[in-house]
Each structure stands twice: as structure tokens, then as C-alpha cells.
């Protein structure tokens, strides 16, 4: 079996803007279709999928929180992903744009006045 010529890639997942906020507390992303997201540094650190973090999860050694962590580095990788570095020294995670877009959509809270599938009922 030979590998594909190109890795799977969704050009719509690549943001037009990716900025680490002052102090590194979050990563702010904006896409061409108008979507925007703010991904907290702690959530990104908790959702790292690198081999080291995966091993620590399997072995039950992965922390439940990273309360004071911040993003210290964002480095593009081949147009399909970024490598994020964190204030705790961890800088091994590769975060594909598709994964970050999925995290952003998962982390989205509907604005006030917008209802979800279930409407709260008055008591």
C-alpha cells in the first residue's frame, strides 16, 4: 500500500487569521466564511494529541487541568497545521487546522437569545 500523494486537506479549515492573545491565554482564529473562535490555552493543552500526551493519558498520568498554562509559540507546518508551544515547556503537539476548527465548533456557545435543540421550560 502506498501513501497518498498529498495528505487529506480541507482548504476551508485554514484560517485567514491566527493570533495568540496578549499573555498567551488563548488562540484567536478567523476564517474566510466569517466564523471566528477563541480557543483557551488550557483547552488546547488538554486536547494535545502528540505521542507523549497520548501515552500519559493511557497510563493515567495526564493532568486534569493546566490552569496557568499559556501559548508561547505558534509555528506553521506545511500549510495544514501549526505547532503550538506552551508555558509548561510542552511544544510537541501538531494541531491540524481541521482539528482546531473542530475544537472551535465544539467549544462554541450559542449567543444569548439563540436557542439550541432544547428550550428551557419555566417552572
Amino acid at each position: 500500500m502506498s501513501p497518498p500523494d498529498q495528505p487529506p486537506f480541507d482548504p476551508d479549515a485554514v484560517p485567514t487569521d491566527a493570533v495568540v492573545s496578549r499573555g498567551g491565554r488563548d488562540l484567536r482564529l478567523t476564517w474566510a466564511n466569517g466564523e471566528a473562535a477563541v480557543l483557551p490555552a488550557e483547552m488546547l493543552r488538554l486536547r494535545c494529541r502528540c505521542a507523549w500526551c497520548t501515552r500519559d493519558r493511557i497510563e493515567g498520568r495526564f493532568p486534569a487541568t493546566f490552569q496557568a498554562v499559556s501559548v508561547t509559540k505558534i509555528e506553521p507546518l506545511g500549510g495544514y497545521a501549526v505547532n503550538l508551544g506552551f508555558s509548561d515547556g510542552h511544544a510537541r503537539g501538531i494541531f491540524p487546522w481541521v482539528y482546531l476548527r473542530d475544537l472551535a465548533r465544539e467549544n462554541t456557545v450559542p449567543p444569548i437569545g439563540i436557542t439550541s435543540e432544547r428550550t428551557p421550560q419555566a417552572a
Side-chain angles (χ1 to χ4, degrees), residues 30-96:
T30 307
W31 288 271
N33 67 359
E35 280 184 82
V38 177
L39 299 174
E42 181 180 24
M43 184 198 64
L44 292 167
R45 182 66 181 88
L46 286 167
R47 300 297 291 269
C48 180
R49 301 185 304 182
C50 78
W52 284 265
C53 291
T54 300
R55 180 198 62 219
D56 285 351
R57 281 186 195 92
I58 291 168
E59 294 178 354
R61 297 182 305 171
F62 195 76
T65 65
F66 289 96
Q67 292 179 354
V69 77
S70 58
V71 176
T72 58
K73 173 182 89 166
I74 180 171
E75 193 172 290
L77 292 173
Y80 76 96
V82 288
N83 171 239
L84 297 179
F86 297 93
S87 59
D88 66 352
H90 186 70
R92 298 185 183 273
I94 295 173
F95 291 78

Side-chain angles (χ1 to χ4, degrees), residues 96-119:
W97 293 122
V98 170
Y99 181 56
L100 290 173
R101 182 186 60 188
D102 291 346
L103 288 177
R105 289 176 176 169
E106 176 183 305
N107 196 42
T108 301
V109 176
I112 294 174
I114 304 297
T115 59
S116 62
E117 293 176 23
R118 294 176 41 196
T119 305

